[in-house]
Amino acid sequence: MTDITQALAGIVGEAYVSNHPEEAYFYARDPGLMPPHAPDYVVVPKVVEEIQEIVSLANREKIPVVPMGAGLALTGLVIPLKGGIVIDMKRMTRILKVNETGRHAIVEGGTSQGLLKSYLEKHHPRLRHSIPDSPATATIAANVMIHGQGRLTQQYGFNSDMITGLEVVLASGQVSRIGSCALSPDWFSKGAPLPDLTGLFLGWFGATGIITKIGVKLYPKKKLRDVEIFLTDRADLVPDMIYELTHTEMVEDINVFAQPKPMIFKDNHHITLFFTGDTDEELEFKRKTIWHSLDRFIRNKDGGFMGVPPVMKPTLLDMPQRSVSRFADVTKGGGFEYSGPIIMVDKYPACAQKILELAEKYDLGYSGMARIIGRSHAMMYGFAFTFNRADPDMMERTRKALHEVSVFALEAGGIFWKATVDEQRMAMEKMDPVTLGLMKMIKEQMDPNGIMNPGNWEVTEV
Amino acid sequence: MYTLKFDENVCRTCPTGDCLVKCQYLHLDKETAVAEMVKIGQGADSFVLNDCVTCYACEEYCRRGNHPFYLITERRQEKGILTAPRAITRQWINIGEPQGKYRLGEVKERVLSFGFMPEFLGWIKGRLFEDVMPSYIFGQEFFCNVVYIHFADTAVIKERLPQVVDNFRKLGVKEVIFLHDECYGAFTQLAPAFGIDVPFQSIHYYEYLYHRLQELKDLIRPLNIRVAYQRPCSSRLSSDQHHFFADIMDLIGVDLVAREYQDENALCCGGILSMNYGYDLAHDVQKRNIDDMTAHGAQFCVFNCPACQSTLGPLVAKQGIKPIHMIHLCRKAIGEM
Ligand SMILES: Cc1cc2nc3c(=O)[nH]c(=O)nc-3n(C[C@H](O)[C@H](O)[C@H](O)COP(=O)(O)OP(=O)(O)OC[C@H]3O[C@@H](n4cnc5c(N)ncnc54)[C@H](O)[C@@H]3O)c2cc1C
Ligand code: SF4
Ligand code: SF4
């Protein structure tokens, strides 16, 4: 054992620290395309005090620390680019409090989406959170750290807009409380009416602090939920269709997808709409309003609602929706990555065209999928490719296709979501220099030794 | 090329114009009906080409050997008058495309056709079918493709149906019992209308069930229930078989309620109507249909077509009427369910 391993073992216990190659192998990679890079140590802490001690040690010794949830962001954000300590959050999974009437929960920084979902189903059946379609092991803290989106994003914005406070371990090892919890026992606001400091952490990929507790907003869970799928062969009309649908203010979530397989999905764009109600009447009223909002497209034969077969419904209504994970393995060999720029909804036709072009050019299996953010305020358009990890040529083609997506997205006015290091660099090159200077200032102040997930959001020049 | 047999001169002398007079969606008088059919026959424009909602019923209403609905369909396609949104049509055409994923049981000269209805793979069992099973076929390769008349597309039928016939021929089958009456209608009524030869004998599963239940008469325990029948659009292509429904109900001791929307007056389940025309028409038709079932005290709604059942089944169930497929009802009558 090295001194550092010993010191870490002294903090978390020997069972929860490793510098063995077999563990390093796994923590060196994610399911995406980034080349692996091994950590020197992996620790799995249980309580905030342990994280404080680990980070203090790392800061003292100038060793990088990389916080990790489930490692499912896919864009290499948990790969320890400069080695150091991976802090695996998986043991910090307590659900500390659910305030039913105040509709929020406080959970630890490693709590998974699936855990909160099943806890609420059991103990608070009238409440729900905005669950993303990532596998259920994905963590809540990491998801808001990358500004993820979930089932309620069309109604309430990014999942990171739906938080009520943070507890964060800073690079110095100190703990800070952000939001109403900074001065009140109640976690009801992430900032307002104070200066909103969550921006110092969210979107930074752990490069400014480690979330150890998080308050998330919960929303009414209606008794009934249903899904409809509107089909169109006109990508150019999708933005108008979305505009009409969001105008009804009756849809829970809107996802659009287009993919060539299976045959039922070939050639069309599918606007999947989820809606809810406490009674049959409420549900039917919403269905009717939603259908009517698209009447003009039906009349012009530009689109129509397909009959969703009853066997398909459970899959569609599942949360998370497993079909996304299933797509991840259609070429077998378990490779899946998507570049999901956040972009204006009116760019849907251009994105749909681009993915077709790239799939053809690089001979890849693809799925284009968009999740609407807010009332048509923006969307995440996922350019998803699946590849066989045992086929280096296919991986290289996927890499090239994704690089082209990045160039396209930036030119089209989009912003990378959960950006790879390359995309971060591209974004910083294009960014307003004063804003970039501000980022540099923040990063230097918050992490003077550059130990926090180094390689990410590193402003080299302004 | 296959061409539709249609003689507009027969329409000229038609004493009733039944095709469009009986139509439940257009409401025409005899003179207008005949005049419009003649116009359509001549290839002229007609509002009927825009307003027909593709319920198939005029294929049954015309008793003079013409094929009014096929003609409407042909003319629509020629003139580019769409019934369904393009994307819906495309989706259905894609679904029916042969993929080499068909399934065959131990095929004999006598075979059951499940068409392209996966439900039958799980439903067809027990004594009713023991004399034929496991001789069955299933898959796009054996899918009659007739559904595309809902989408004003006879071209795809003319392209695919002869290939399907050929697939049956290659199996050397002599007698095919069709579990979906659209397939039965395809081979006994549509194919001849377009001059497509069919080298095997087609049996409608109602006829098969009727005879089979007579063989199993000793097992039948009268069900003593009141049912409404959801007659599907496809049965309009096999109206000579329709009487078997009532015959079977008699045989198994079921009271078929005498409601308004039955037999010739049957209403569509609404599935195609909603896809092609949106919410209002489909929901109006569904509501009238279900209210009629309720008003006549139906306890069960019996389905012939699995697609109708998946569309209307949940809606009748909400009104306290149990949805059940004909096959399950018959199995129930012999104590298997
Ligand atoms: C099939 C599939 C479907 C997906 N669908 C969606 C979707 O619908 N919506 C969506 O938003 N995402 C989706 N994703 C992307 C991703 O899986 C999720 O966003 C997920 O929430 C990421 O969580 P994680 O725990 O895996 O994060 P990780 O990959 O472990 O971490 C992500 C980032 O957060 C940092 N981090 C982790 N924990 C902390 C912490 N406690 N404090 C500070 N920083 C931390 C990491 O260092 C890293 O930079 C999908 C992924 C897959 C594979
Ligand atoms: S199609 Fe038949 S019913 Fe209609 S007008 Fe012609 S002959 Fe008469
Ligand atoms: S198919 Fe139905 S709706 Fe169309 S004309 Fe014939 S009866 Fe009327």
Side-chain angles (χ1 to χ4, degrees):
Chain A
M1 254 195 204
T2 65
D3 290 349
I4 300 293
T5 322
Q6 251 162 11
L8 289 170
I11 299 169
V12 293
E14 248 177 61
Y16 297 107
V17 61
S18 171
N19 60 355
H20 296 158
E22 56 271 32
E23 259 107 28
Y25 177 90
F26 283 107
Y27 285 92
R29 63 201 75 231
D30 70 8
L33 280 164
M34 286 279 286
H37 191 282
D40 300 302
Y41 319 93
V42 179
V43 283
V44 198
K46 179 77 181 150
V47 291
V48 59
E49 290 77 14
E50 290 174 3
I51 297 195
Q52 286 184 267
E53 284 188 57
I54 296 161
V55 176
S56 302
L57 167 75
N59 201 25
R60 221 167 35 240
E61 302 290 335
K62 301 198 173 40
I63 304 170
V65 287
V66 178
M68 179 195 171
L72 286 166
L74 309 178
T75 44
L77 303 180
V78 292
I79 294 178
L81 302 174
K82 302 190 176 171
I85 306 168
V86 168
I87 303 182
D88 185 335
M89 301 293 292
K90 277 189 200 67
R91 285 174 71 220
M92 295 185 59
T93 59
R94 281 183 306 155
I95 292 166
L96 301 166
K97 184 172 181 177
V98 173
N99 187 319
E100 172 90 33
T101 49
R103 290 202 178 102
H104 65 260
I106 305 165
V107 303
E108 283 190 322
T111 309
S112 70
Q113 303 284 353
L115 196 69
L116 181 59
K117 181 182 174 234
S118 61
Y119 183 88
L120 292 175
E121 276 166 3
K122 195 163 171 199
H123 302 287
H124 301 273
R126 297 187 71 197
L127 296 174
R128 61 186 295 202
H129 76 291
S130 179
I131 193 159
D133 284 319
S134 35
T137 49
T139 61
I140 292 165
N143 182 259
V144 302
M145 176 52 77
I146 61 174
H147 292 300
Q149 314 95 44
R151 273 289 163 241
L152 300 177
T153 281
Q154 191 266 139
Q155 299 184 67
Y156 307 109
F158 289 96
N159 286 353
S160 46
D161 293 331
M162 300 179 217
I163 66 169
T164 61
L166 296 174
E167 178 190 89
V168 192
V169 172
L170 306 176
S172 60
Q174 291 164 297
V175 182
S176 166
R177 288 193 162 198
I178 308 293
S180 58
C181 60
L183 66 164
S184 159
D186 297 324
W187 291 53
F188 54 83
S189 166
K190 74 185 170 77
L194 302 169
D196 186 347
L197 299 183
T198 54
L200 295 174
F201 305 96
L202 300 180
W204 282 90
F205 305 158
T208 52
I210 297 176
I211 300 171
T212 44
K213 288 191 188 75
I214 180 164
V216 273
K217 288 186 186 168
L218 305 173
Y219 296 87
K221 182 177 174 192
K222 301 270 189 172
K223 293 191 184 107
L224 306 168
R225 197 163 166 261
D226 207 350
V227 56
E228 298 276 1
I229 303 181
F230 190 78
L231 303 185
T232 180
D233 56 350
R234 293 266 311 263
D236 59 319
L237 293 179
V238 169
D240 284 352
M241 292 166 177
I242 302 294
Y243 185 78
E244 296 303 340
L245 287 166
T246 48
H247 186 83
T248 65
E249 301 215 302
M250 285 195 184
V251 193
E252 169 203 85
D253 187 23
I254 304 176
N255 306 159
V256 193
F257 69 93
Q259 60 189 52
K261 282 182 187 164
M263 283 297 274
I264 189 173
F265 299 139
K266 195 170 163 261
D267 303 323
N268 285 324
H269 303 268
H270 306 74
I271 305 179
T272 313
L273 311 154
F274 299 87
F275 53 105
T276 60
D278 271 333
T279 59
D280 281 339
E281 289 71 31
E282 185 184 350
L283 199 71
E284 200 51 36
F285 175 68
K286 287 184 178 173
R287 189 194 317 277
K288 185 173 174 176
T289 310
I290 289 165
W291 277 56
H292 279 158
S293 74
L294 297 176
D295 266 350
R296 72 181 158 105
F297 302 102
I298 299 174
R299 257 196 317 276
N300 293 342
K301 310 295 179 194
D302 286 325
F305 285 92
M306 70 178 262
V308 181
V311 288
M312 213 190 229
K313 282 205 176 176
T315 313
L316 288 166
L317 291 170
D318 221 7
M319 286 185 282
Q321 212 186 90
R322 265 162 263 214
S323 52
V324 184
S325 309
R326 239 176 269 138
F327 165 77
D329 202 28
V330 286
T331 45
K332 301 299 163 203
F336 165 60
E337 188 164 328
Y338 64 100
S339 177
I342 309 298
I343 194 164
M344 296 286 283
V345 179
D346 64 6
K347 297 296 188 309
Y348 181 90
C351 292
Q353 176 61 31
K354 191 71 191 173
I355 193 167
L356 267 182
E357 226 174 87
L358 292 173
E360 205 164 288
K361 179 171 172 188
Y362 293 105
D363 188 20
L364 293 169
Y366 74 92
S367 173
M369 47 191 185
R371 171 169 260 140
I372 303 306
I373 300 166
R375 297 286 192 261
S376 236
H377 293 117
M379 67 176 172
M380 184 285 299
Y381 187 95
F383 294 79
F385 299 106
T386 112
F387 53 89
N388 183 343
R389 303 191 72 86
D391 182 342
D393 177 61
M394 194 187 277
M395 284 180 74
E396 189 49 31
R397 281 184 277 127
T398 312
R399 232 172 247 130
K400 284 184 177 153
L402 286 170
H403 177 71
E404 284 199 40
V405 169
S406 306
V407 174
F408 159 82
L410 213 52
E411 276 173 5
I415 303 177
F416 307 122
W417 173 50
K418 58 187 179 66
T420 61
V421 234
D422 279 347
E423 288 175 333
Q424 292 171 34
R425 186 185 36 75
M426 287 164 74
M428 290 188 288
E429 274 168 20
K430 197 176 174 192
M431 198 179 280
D432 165 29
V434 182
T435 311
L436 190 63
L438 201 55
M439 277 179 68
K440 186 173 163 67
M441 218 155 76
I442 289 167
K443 172 72 181 165
E444 279 172 1
Q445 287 301 314
M446 296 192 66
D447 179 23
N449 292 326
I451 59 156
M452 305 296 282
N453 206 355
N456 288 290
W457 294 127
E458 272 185 0
V459 187
T460 43
E461 274 167 49
V462 178
Chain B
M1 196 51 211
Y2 303 102
T3 39
L4 175 66
K5 291 172 189 147
F6 187 93
D7 186 351
E8 80 230 31
N9 289 321
V10 175
C11 294
R12 272 183 223 282
T13 58
C14 180
T16 64
D18 269 350
C19 55
L20 300 180
V21 169
K22 289 188 176 173
C23 169
Q24 304 203 68
Y25 302 92
L26 299 185
H27 313 294
L28 304 186
D29 59 33
K30 186 204 123 188
E31 284 67 33
T32 319
V34 170
E36 292 306 309
M37 271 334 283
V38 171
K39 267 167 48 184
I40 298 168
Q42 290 170 331
D45 289 339
S46 163
F47 64 87
V48 173
L49 300 179
N50 293 308
D51 296 351
C52 153
V53 300
T54 82
C55 80
Y56 294 17
C58 45
E59 280 297 308
E60 171 176 301
Y61 299 152
C62 174
R63 301 287 181 192
R64 289 163 60 85
N66 261 348
H67 291 287
F69 179 54
Y70 297 157
L71 180 75
I72 291 169
T73 308
E74 290 260 285
R75 293 288 186 259
R76 279 174 154 162
Q77 186 157 39
E78 284 160 26
K79 292 173 187 291
I81 300 173
L82 303 182
T83 53
R86 293 177 308 278
I88 297 279
T89 306
R90 197 65 249 162
Q91 183 188 53
W92 279 74
I93 290 179
N94 287 343
I95 295 171
E97 193 172 305
Q99 301 279 303
K101 289 182 179 163
Y102 57 89
R103 286 208 226 162
L104 300 178
E106 294 163 23
V107 176
K108 306 222 172 58
E109 286 189 350
R110 190 166 184 240
V111 72
L112 285 166
S113 168
F114 299 172
F116 187 36
M117 291 275 179
E119 290 86 349
F120 292 130
L121 289 164
W123 290 359
I124 303 306
K125 50 182 148 199
R127 297 213 55 190
L128 289 172
F129 302 98
E130 68 189 357
D131 59 333
V132 198
M133 281 298 270
S135 173
Y136 76 87
I137 51 105
F138 164 79
Q140 285 106 323
E141 279 71 5
F142 302 98
F143 167 49
C144 67
N145 285 274
V146 168
V147 68
Y148 302 119
I149 48 182
H150 280 306
F151 306 128
D153 193 340
T154 52
V156 67
I157 301 173
K158 290 181 206 167
E159 180 195 322
R160 288 182 184 172
L161 189 56
Q163 291 169 13
V164 173
V165 169
D166 211 43
N167 292 337
F168 276 106
R169 183 185 291 123
K170 285 183 197 145
L171 290 177
V173 298
K174 297 252 164 41
E175 193 181 293
V176 185
I177 302 154
F178 289 101
L179 289 162
H180 191 217
D181 56 7
E182 191 149 272
C183 296
Y184 176 83
F187 295 103
T188 56
Q189 195 252 19
L190 182 141
F194 283 92
I196 299 169
D197 287 336
V198 177
F200 52 81
Q201 201 202 336
S202 303
I203 312 265
H204 193 284
Y205 82 105
Y206 276 6
E207 183 182 353
Y208 170 83
L209 283 178
Y210 181 71
H211 293 304
R212 188 70 190 133
L213 283 165
Q214 279 182 324
E215 285 165 10
L216 299 173
K217 216 166 186 159
D218 292 347
L219 296 179
I220 297 177
R221 297 283 167 269
L223 290 170
N224 294 322
I225 49 171
R226 293 163 62 77
V227 310
Y229 177 38
Q230 175 53 38
R231 191 179 174 200
C233 51
S234 54
S235 81
R236 307 293 189 159
L237 312 185
S238 52
S239 51
D240 59 326
Q241 303 289 310
H242 177 58
H243 68 90
F244 279 116
F245 184 79
D247 299 346
I248 293 171
M249 293 308 110
D250 266 356
L251 207 56
I252 61 176
V254 165
D255 178 12
L256 179 58
V257 300
R259 67 192 192 104
E260 185 182 348
Y261 298 121
Q262 63 179 4
D263 302 324
E264 272 199 346
N265 281 339
L267 286 177
C268 169
C269 70
I272 291 287
L273 299 185
S274 60
M275 272 188 281
N276 288 8
Y277 308 105
Y279 189 92
D280 291 340
L281 175 64
H283 284 77
D284 168 59
V285 169
Q286 288 171 334
K287 183 170 183 322
R288 282 193 284 133
N289 197 358
I290 298 172
D291 285 351
D292 187 38
M293 294 182 199
T294 313
H296 289 85
Q299 298 165 293
F300 283 77
C301 174
V302 183
F303 290 92
N304 172 347
C305 167
C308 296
Q309 187 167 349
S310 84
T311 303
L312 206 63
L315 304 182
V316 296
K318 274 193 191 140
Q319 301 308 316
I321 301 173
K322 294 192 190 77
I324 189 165
H325 190 272
M326 179 67 155
I327 287 168
H328 294 138
L329 189 72
C330 293
R331 291 191 65 204
K332 209 172 154 65
I334 58 166
E336 282 187 357
M337 292 187 83

